[in-house]
Amino acid sequence: MEFTLNEEQQMLKGIARDFLENRCPKAHVRDMLTDEKGYSPELWQDMAELGWQGLMLPEEYGGTGGDFVDMVVLIEEMGRALLPGPFIPTVVYGGVAILQAGTSEKKNELLPRIAQGELSLTLALQESSERFDAEGVAAEAVEKEDHYILSGTKILVPYAHVADYILCVCRSRSSSDAEDGISLFLVDAEGEGISCITRTTFDGRKLCDVKLGEVKVSKANLLGEPHGCWPLVKRLVDHGSVAMCAEAIGGAQMAMEMSISYAKERIQFGRPIGTNQAIKHKCANMFVDVECGRSIMYWAAWAVDEGVPEASLAVPMAKSWCCDTYRRVAADSIQVHGGIGFTWDHDIPLYFKRAKTLEYTFGDCDYQREIVVRELERQLASG
Amino acid sequence: MEFTLNEEQQMLKGIARDFLENRCPKAHVRDMLTDEKGYSPELWQDMAELGWQGLMLPEEYGGTGGDFVDMVVLIEEMGRALLPGPFIPTVVYGGVAILQAGTSEKKNELLPRIAQGELSLTLALQESSERFDAEGVAAEAVEKEDHYILSGTKILVPYAHVADYILCVCRSRSSSDAEDGISLFLVDAEGEGISCITRTTFDGRKLCDVKLGEVKVSKANLLGEPHGCWPLVKRLVDHGSVAMCAEAIGGAQMAMEMSISYAKERIQFGRPIGTNQAIKHKCANMFVDVECGRSIMYWAAWAVDEGVPEASLAVPMAKSWCCDTYRRVAADSIQVHGGIGFTWDHDIPLYFKRAKTLEYTFGDCDYQREIVVRELERQLASG
Amino acid sequence: MDFRYSPEDEAFRKEVRDWIKENLPESWATEQEALGISEDSFQMALEWQKRLYKRGWVGLTWPKEYGGGGGTLMQQVILSEEMAKARAPGIANTLGVGMAGPTILSFGTEEQKKQFIPKILSGEEIWCQGFSEPDAGSDLANLKARAIRDGDYYVVNGQKVWSTFAQYGDRCLLLVRTDPDVLPKHRGITYLLMDMKTPGIEVKPLKQMTGDSEFNEMFLDNVRVPVSNRLGEENRGWYVAMGTLAFERAGMGQAIMFKQVLNEIFRLAAKTKRNGIPAIKDSTIRQRLAQCAIECEIMRLNSYRSLSTSLKGGGPGPEEMFSKLFWSEMNQRMTELAAQILGIDSVIEGEGEAQLWQYRFLRSRGNTLEQGSSEILRNVIGERVLGIPR
Amino acid sequence: MDFRYSPEDEAFRKEVRDWIKENLPESWATEQEALGISEDSFQMALEWQKRLYKRGWVGLTWPKEYGGGGGTLMQQVILSEEMAKARAPGIANTLGVGMAGPTILSFGTEEQKKQFIPKILSGEEIWCQGFSEPDAGSDLANLKARAIRDGDYYVVNGQKVWSTFAQYGDRCLLLVRTDPDVLPKHRGITYLLMDMKTPGIEVKPLKQMTGDSEFNEMFLDNVRVPVSNRLGEENRGWYVAMGTLAFERAGMGQAIMFKQVLNEIFRLAAKTKRNGIPAIKDSTIRQRLAQCAIECEIMRLNSYRSLSTSLKGGGPGPEEMFSKLFWSEMNQRMTELAAQILGIDSVIEGEGEAQLWQYRFLRSRGNTLEQGSSEILRNVIGERVLGIPR
């Protein structure tokens, strides 16, 4: 029983905070709002030198052999700094997928390049059905000799416009069970037939519509078993969801700290505004919500990392609570700051907008709660 | 355009408040908690002398010819005083049903006796299906010569144990349209085949299970058109729902006033507890909620009384808002009062319990909101 | 109690409707909101105000001698209702008609009324305001912009923030400090009517989190305001200002506007899929839709109550004390619901309907801050309405 | 980070489970709650405490020299978990073991420890408390029950309220005023251990809105308490009392108890029809069920965090500061949800399951008042944890 950060994790946290305060100040975040790439390749390279892209990769691939909990410690700090860019798509989707399901050739070929900051990857899952389950996957992969032909349209693919490889979730076989017949392909983003329309969220993130127009993909680029990849995809989504929880908690923590400081410093009616319970109790509620979020987020991270059955409940619980928390904390932070918190140049609105984007990614909090109940019903039914 | 109480209504309100403060103090409410009848026949008689049971009845039947808005003014005061007893069942269900659908014989026979406080009536609608719509009506009425035979079980019938007549909603004809084939019977509560089990709510109200065991009812006791009474029943439920809103607003108003007084008087840390925003803002929220409830409750009362189409939206809106308000105000009143508000001998818990009983009668707030959306969908669809 | 309109009212309503049909270009009905806060939007509003003014419908209830319409309160309400139903654009001189005019009519001298009111109504002079300061937000009485008497002038120095529409303003409602030592502080404040062309005024737009700039910072450097442009007595400006705030009632027009937004959300829910099914089939969305509908309806009814009380000559009823508190929080719930229905589309930059909802969603966060934060308003209700001590 | 238990822990867990199977009559698992606050319920709790005491499992972590078990914190947690899972009744001496014992162990003299601790554990002496007064609720430091020194005795006069279990008490944790003039007031308070058989004590049960009486009023009329039964120094009782409150942590056992209540609500939702369909098919009920489930899980995880910090010898972590605030409001939501599922059945008097939910629903309203109201707890978090000024 051990539910505290170990020394290495605390060190990682400290280094990450210092580095990001220095290299990813809000001026950088604002610059990236209108940047075409949406991130700084230079900063990306420096992060690789700190070992961040390789944090979860075994040493043989140039990584430092950390686990997903270590990664979550780091991502919490990225959330605090509002770091933009394809870190989660590359490291959490790309890295975990290749590590867990790649052939040893692919591992040897790609993982060291990820660790060195040479590659950017992403996951193309959602389609116009706007569903998050296997039934939403309609993009087709047709087997043909030594390759597959992929067609369909994927939407909301993060940072596909700068990706070297896109992990495409396709239906390679029709079946009465929607979760059967799903394959995962590692697709060269420069390949023929791929076109990409980039959209920008109000917090400066890039989400792309990726059109797969008869894209030819070699069988060597299959990740995992053909037709049987839904569990792997689900695992990737679980990892991604928890990573977003960490971003949310890191961001909420920062918005809360700013609010507490403002509550102490801002004088109205001759005393700090925090002396008013309307402000003080808002801050207290932020604190409770954020700390609770941290508890369930780390629990979910551990459960996903260990692959224990508890993960199926822990992930939607964490996603729902952490995203609710981030939204509430950021909105209340605007209220605590008053008018100044409503201006473009203040940092709080950046957190507020980020909270909304995270909330809607992979299903909002209502959706997560519905998943929680379904899972609990299943557990209670099976005793 | 006139949205204020007129002089007569203000006078009625004043008289009602004085009378009830005097005759229905909390000691009386508490006595009735364990009283078998659940109300005081003596008080009932004195109310009749004030003209309350006849308030909505035309002068020819011994009433004072008021409208439903007048009635709601009175019921708001009854809610404030937590007056127990069969007033709404008798006057709002019984009185309105006979007035709107009774033959002139029945009117002449029964209405003056209602006005004089000689009769107690009630409405038997719900059954074990626990539905509030026509599909929930399964009790059967079989036509036989000059009478009907009624069988089935009605539940949650208010004060049936002291009623002289029970208005029974029965299915007299089967039809693919559930709202077709509903008849309303005026059943002698002492009649053969009727049995009654009385249950008491935690706020001392009586709700009865009424078993109709082959009860013979003369056709002369049909109210309205045979088979076509669902609109009438719905109108009765609408009247009853709005009456409950008035009770809720009256009760919430009183709980609020008690909370405000306590916030001003109770000293902790050397100053009135109301100086704390946690308390002050709770009181402010109570005020907003109660006043808003009053606006929509009177609107619904007027709409129901006039029979305008807006009533179909006004009633569920009012029921949802007023019952939410009563529950929230009463719960927050306990919190404002602290420990003392949690004791048996304090009056606030009486309001808290009453709020819950009202909330669950004829469908809780979620249910009302669902009706609101259905109605709005219908309106928007029809332009 | 009677919620019906009289035949005369209905006749006036028809008159308004017919006039709108002839005078409001159809496209304007939606164009203004799409234009955002911009010069184009302002020019549209100005043109609209001129047409209305010609008809006598700006300041419909104001005395005819100053250019008003001399109409009844009931007519004003009907006019607002019909404007809202037709989705007519706002007028350009929002602050002039909404705040400056009523204040001058209540507290101004005869000369001031003759000088300012007609041009407020015609839109010839656009008004803005300069109340808040960096250290005087909720605590407005703490304002420091200093005015020192110099003969027939006040010389003003200081900084204002949240000055609505100062970028378009010809004249400004200005609160200044004339006595820096007096306690309580609100006894040393004076109310001035400042010409925005006076030398020494610098206006800097303040960009909001929406990207628009409704508000401004205003820097005052030895700005000379004639003493004749003082409203009320020296050091008594606080009482004038408190009178001003009372004019900021949410009216029937606003209630109808919200009802229209609600209908839009309904349509949005019907056509937008959420997790694979139409949002309107989702019970939790339905519950929220219903709650918003109930609140919109309550807002309408509260407006009727206010109106009814006013028609009877009564002071503001209880429901007016929380009108702004109520709608500001309601609007946040409504726009958040719309955003939730749209999901990720509501956070993506682009054009079209989703963009409009994104704007409304972000803008709504300011509602609980501007013109008295929700916290301050709850204090006011608790203290002034309910009598709970400070 | 690792949420697994060690093999030693699991071995101890098995030991506990086996013992429970042999020693806990099956019917007891649910009977106690059904008995309510009553003599029968108290006797069951006393019998259960005796059995546990014989096994060394009351005060499992307390020093053996005073009759404790000398076990580890981890064992204590496992014991609580298993007791909760088995739905074992509470022990009779809740306050003795939960508050009096730890306080005496921390602040008492050697004699006091020897005198009181063993009988606390065995249940021979039941403890109650006398802290609050009519004018000293949230503002506890304002207490007025006066103790005047008379030789080797304090003579106490005054009135206490909310004295938990005073009707069963043999001894009482009592806060009294020994200096009426000192400011701040908390510097004039002394902590006494009072024998409830001393002449001059009158206990009157205080009936709650549930109909039960857990709490009492206590009237003290020239009650003589030996100076040797003072805990800590004269006029320093406030600091002892603040130490006492720190022992009122919600533990793992409580988290598991809530999880069980949640499961009961799930079963209730599955079998109860609401508006004609099973409640569990209703999306709004499902959303609330999920939210309660998430909160229960968070409570469990927060307890783990506390435990983990304690095991490492660290002070209380942030999550301990709001444990009671969190569960008290969660419990209100949970019991309100159960009531909503039951609908009108939850408000009707009678027997059986609905009655139990009715009791829990009503009882939960006290949770946010007792042992520090939610308002006070949010002040404490804001001021002591976040450092925002008073």
Side-chain angles (χ1 to χ4, degrees), chain A residues 56-313:
Chain A
M56 279 174 75
L57 299 176
E59 289 179 28
E60 53 183 306
Y61 305 117
T64 50
D67 61 20
F68 187 52
V69 175
D70 300 333
M71 180 54 77
V72 148
V73 170
L74 177 60
I75 293 173
E76 207 182 326
E77 290 304 313
M78 292 175 170
R80 180 187 180 90
L82 293 172
L83 176 76
F87 189 84
I88 291 176
T90 299
V91 174
V92 176
Y93 303 143
V96 171
I98 295 168
L99 191 63
Q100 294 199 354
T103 58
S104 60
E105 277 135 17
K106 287 291 166 199
K107 286 185 193 173
N108 284 323
E109 178 194 340
L110 299 171
L111 294 180
R113 297 182 61 203
I114 290 177
Q116 283 154 39
E118 289 172 17
L119 287 185
S120 167
L121 287 84
T122 190
L123 175 69
L125 167 61
Q126 266 186 272
E127 303 185 16
S128 60
S129 61
E130 305 219 10
R131 300 178 66 126
F132 306 100
D133 54 9
E135 285 189 45
V137 180
E140 266 188 327
V142 179
E143 196 175 351
K144 210 168 177 185
E145 294 151 24
D146 65 341
H147 60 268
Y148 282 85
I149 304 289
L150 275 46
S151 358
T153 303
K154 294 288 180 180
I155 63 170
L156 304 168
V157 185
Y159 294 91
H161 69 309
V162 294
D164 298 290
Y165 291 97
I166 302 174
L167 302 174
C168 289
V169 182
C170 292
R171 191 162 293 285
S172 51
R173 184 169 79 187
S174 69
S175 162
S176 59
D177 174 6
E179 298 191 357
D180 178 45
I182 303 285
S183 297
L184 186 60
F185 297 91
L186 190 65
V187 180
D188 184 340
E190 301 293 315
E192 214 176 313
I194 293 185
S195 60
C196 178
I197 298 165
T198 305
R199 302 198 287 168
T200 304
T201 61
F202 61 11
D203 58 327
R205 309 299 155 128
K206 305 296 183 184
L207 297 174
C208 306
D209 295 347
V210 175
K211 192 155 182 265
L212 304 167
E214 313 251 317
V215 181
K216 188 173 163 182
V217 181
S218 150
K219 281 188 179 168
N221 278 15
L222 264 171
L223 276 176
E225 286 305 300
H227 320 309
C229 271
W230 183 251
L232 172 62
V233 171
K234 222 179 145 308
R235 216 147 56 231
L236 294 181
V237 172
D238 279 354
H239 277 82
S241 296
V242 173
M244 279 180 257
C245 292
E247 262 207 82
I249 292 304
Q253 171 78 29
M254 185 62 180
M256 172 181 85
E257 288 178 19
M258 290 168 69
S259 299
I260 294 168
S261 297
Y262 196 75
K264 292 177 188 174
E265 289 157 16
R266 168 75 172 169
I267 307 289
Q268 289 281 275
F269 301 102
R271 25 174 229 173
I273 59 168
T275 56
N276 297 294
Q277 283 179 327
I279 302 295
K280 182 178 292 172
H281 288 188
K282 267 196 187 73
C283 292
N285 290 340
M286 290 180 193
F287 176 75
V288 173
D289 287 355
V290 170
E291 287 300 335
C292 288
R294 194 163 277 127
S295 292
I296 198 156
M297 180 268 282
Y298 276 108
W299 159 247
W302 180 82
V304 164
D305 201 32
E306 295 284 327
V308 295
E310 286 91 334
S312 58
L313 208 45

Side-chain angles (χ1 to χ4, degrees), chain B residues 55-68:
Chain B
L55 187 62
M56 279 174 78
L57 299 177
E59 288 178 28
E60 54 185 307
Y61 303 118
T64 50
D67 61 17
F68 187 51

Side-chain angles (χ1 to χ4, degrees), chain A residues 1-5 69 260 263-264 272 274-275 277 280-281 283-285 287-288 291-292 294-296 298-299 302 306 308 317 320-321 324 365-366 369-370 372-374 376-377 380, chain D residues 1-5 74 259 263 266 280 286-287 290-291 293-295 297-298 300-302 304-305 307-309 312 318 322 325-326 375 378-379 381-383 385-390:
Chain A
M1 177 56 54
E2 164 79 55
F3 191 170
T4 49
L5 297 187
V69 175
I260 294 168
K264 292 177 188 174
T275 56
Q277 283 179 327
K280 182 178 292 172
H281 288 188
C283 292
N285 290 340
F287 176 75
V288 173
E291 287 300 335
C292 288
R294 194 163 277 127
S295 292
I296 198 156
Y298 276 108
W299 159 247
W302 180 82
E306 295 284 327
V308 295
M317 281 183 163
S320 162
W321 182 273
D324 264 347
C365 301
D366 286 354
R369 276 186 287 265
E370 174 58 28
V372 166
V373 177
R374 274 187 222 162
L376 279 169
E377 283 183 295
L380 284 171
Chain D
M1 214 156 278
D2 189 353
F3 291 86
R4 293 193 183 85
Y5 288 89
M74 198 67 221
K259 170 76 181 152
N263 288 347
F266 255 89
I280 199 147
R286 291 173 77 80
Q287 287 286 314
Q291 192 61 29
I294 294 168
E295 292 174 13
E297 182 70 350
I298 283 174
R300 183 180 73 90
L301 294 164
N302 285 345
Y304 276 132
R305 263 174 88 179
L307 170 63
S308 191
T309 312
K312 286 190 152 183
F322 56 75
L325 173 66
F326 189 83
E375 289 77 17
R378 288 198 167 84
N379 278 353
I381 293 170
E383 290 157 18
V385 183
L386 308 181
I388 300 171
R390 281 184 77 104

Side-chain angles (χ1 to χ4, degrees), chain A residues 46-60:
Chain A
D46 293 346
M47 281 159 47
E49 264 158 47
L50 284 172
W52 288 2
Q53 282 90 328
L55 186 63
M56 279 174 75
L57 299 176
E59 289 179 28
E60 53 183 306

